[in-house]
Amino acid sequence: RIARQNGVEFRVNESVSEILIKNDCVEGIKINGENVYAPVVIDAAGIWSNLLLEKHNVAVPVAPVRSIYFLTKSNHNQFPADHPITVLPDAKAFSRPANGALLFGIRDSKSMFTHPHYLPRHISDKKYIHTDELWHMLKSEAYEFCQLIKNPEEIEVARWVAAPCSYSFDGNPVIGKAEGIQGLFSATGCNGAGIAASAGFGRLMAEIVLGEKTFIPIDEFSPSRFSGDVFSDEFMQLCSAQRSRKKSG
């Protein structure tokens, strides 16, 4: 609301097909065939970021790596409103209450990655895990997590989500100015913590674009910190391994 009051225009559910660049300077973006001109573009396209950057010989060090989340059926006695949010490093899991249910995630020991060129136009257009593989993974990878829950045999899974998130090779986000192109910035590589980190991302990007001193050091977040091929299987395996050994939520 405040953004709109200050003249910001939101265009939702529209497809960005190209970042417009001329003479190494950003000119804008192409949305559904329409050119929208602007002196600054922030590429926050997540798993699709490198597809927008590829034609300009720019890349960010992230890959689409599968994350899996489960939601139990409602059980207010077992999962009351004041149930704690937990991060369980040794169990490679996290959980939080969700209206009488429990939302939890398990980090499988070998996280699947998807090559950016094979990503669907819409994230829901592809199935990222088969049902039998899902239950096998849950049974084999969630043992430690189940030991920490009261009466785990009584828990029923209502639904689950499996989809790729943007993971970096070193576990750090990608925030900063694109090398060699005036007006182009990147904000991606959330490593599964996009919602939790969104306020920090927004503040950093505002400070960077405005040329202000950032509230924390950002050298480790540089979009150009990886010099190899981000489309190689070797690089994507590094990003996959980063998710598998992740200890935070």
Side-chain angles (χ1 to χ4, degrees):
R1 184 179 62 185
I2 293 175
R4 287 193 174 95
Q5 289 173 354
N6 284 275
V8 176
E9 177 186 354
F10 291 89
R11 297 182 60 166
V12 299
N13 300 319
E14 297 194 60
S15 177
V16 177
S17 59
E18 185 180 350
I19 299 173
L20 304 174
I21 296 174
K22 184 177 181 180
N23 297 326
D24 295 329
C25 292
V26 158
E27 290 193 329
I29 56 176
K30 187 181 289 291
I31 303 178
N32 294 335
E34 173 192 354
N35 289 349
V36 178
Y37 296 100
V40 170
V41 169
I42 299 173
D43 178 6
I47 58 174
W48 292 278
S49 287
N50 278 317
L51 295 180
L52 288 171
L53 298 172
E54 185 179 17
K55 69 173 292 184
H56 304 296
N57 296 315
V58 179
V60 288
V62 300
V65 178
R66 184 183 66 193
S67 292
I68 304 174
Y69 308 92
F70 300 87
L71 183 68
T72 72
K73 289 187 177 180
S74 181
N75 185 334
H76 289 273
N77 292 326
Q78 190 163 14
F79 308 121
D82 60 353
H83 189 282
I85 297 173
T86 65
V87 177
L88 308 164
D90 291 339
K92 296 197 297 183
F94 69 92
S95 68
R96 65 171 176 83
N99 297 319
L102 186 72
L103 185 148
F104 66 95
I106 303 292
R107 277 178 283 284
D108 38 337
S109 56
K110 189 174 181 180
S111 301
M112 185 191 82
F113 61 82
T114 300
H115 194 288
H117 290 154
Y118 299 136
L119 287 170
R121 184 179 180 87
H122 300 288
I123 199 168
S124 59
D125 289 346
K126 181 176 180 178
K127 190 172 184 178
Y128 298 93
I129 190 170
H130 293 290
T131 304
D132 54 349
E133 180 189 354
L134 176 83
W135 298 122
H136 175 76
M137 187 279 292
L138 186 60
K139 182 178 180 180
S140 61
E141 305 277 4
Y143 176 79
E144 290 85 356
F145 177 65
C146 289
Q147 303 309 300
L148 302 172
I149 298 178
K150 181 180 179 181
N151 302 324
E153 68 280 357
E154 297 179 6
I155 295 176
E156 294 184 71
V157 174
R159 55 185 182 272
W160 50 270
V161 174
C165 297
S166 60
Y167 274 81
S168 65
F169 71 103
D170 56 7
N172 290 322
V174 177
I175 306 175
K177 185 181 184 302
E179 188 173 317
I181 299 180
Q182 182 66 36
L184 179 61
F185 300 83
S186 291
T188 185
C190 299
N191 295 287
I195 294 176
S198 59
F201 266 62
R203 178 175 173 179
L204 279 176
M205 286 311 310
E207 292 168 345
I208 293 168
V209 170
L210 294 173
E212 299 177 356
K213 179 179 175 58
T214 57
F215 74 100
I216 58 172
I218 60 171
D219 290 346
E220 293 184 344
F221 306 158
S222 171
S224 58
R225 65 183 184 268
F226 182 80
S227 59
D229 180 7
V230 300
F231 291 101
S232 70
D233 284 353
E234 291 77 12
F235 172 76
M236 286 182 275
Q237 286 166 359
L238 290 176
C239 298
S240 171
Q242 183 61 44
R243 180 185 184 274
S244 295
R245 61 174 175 263
K246 180 183 173 186
K247 295 294 186 180
S248 60

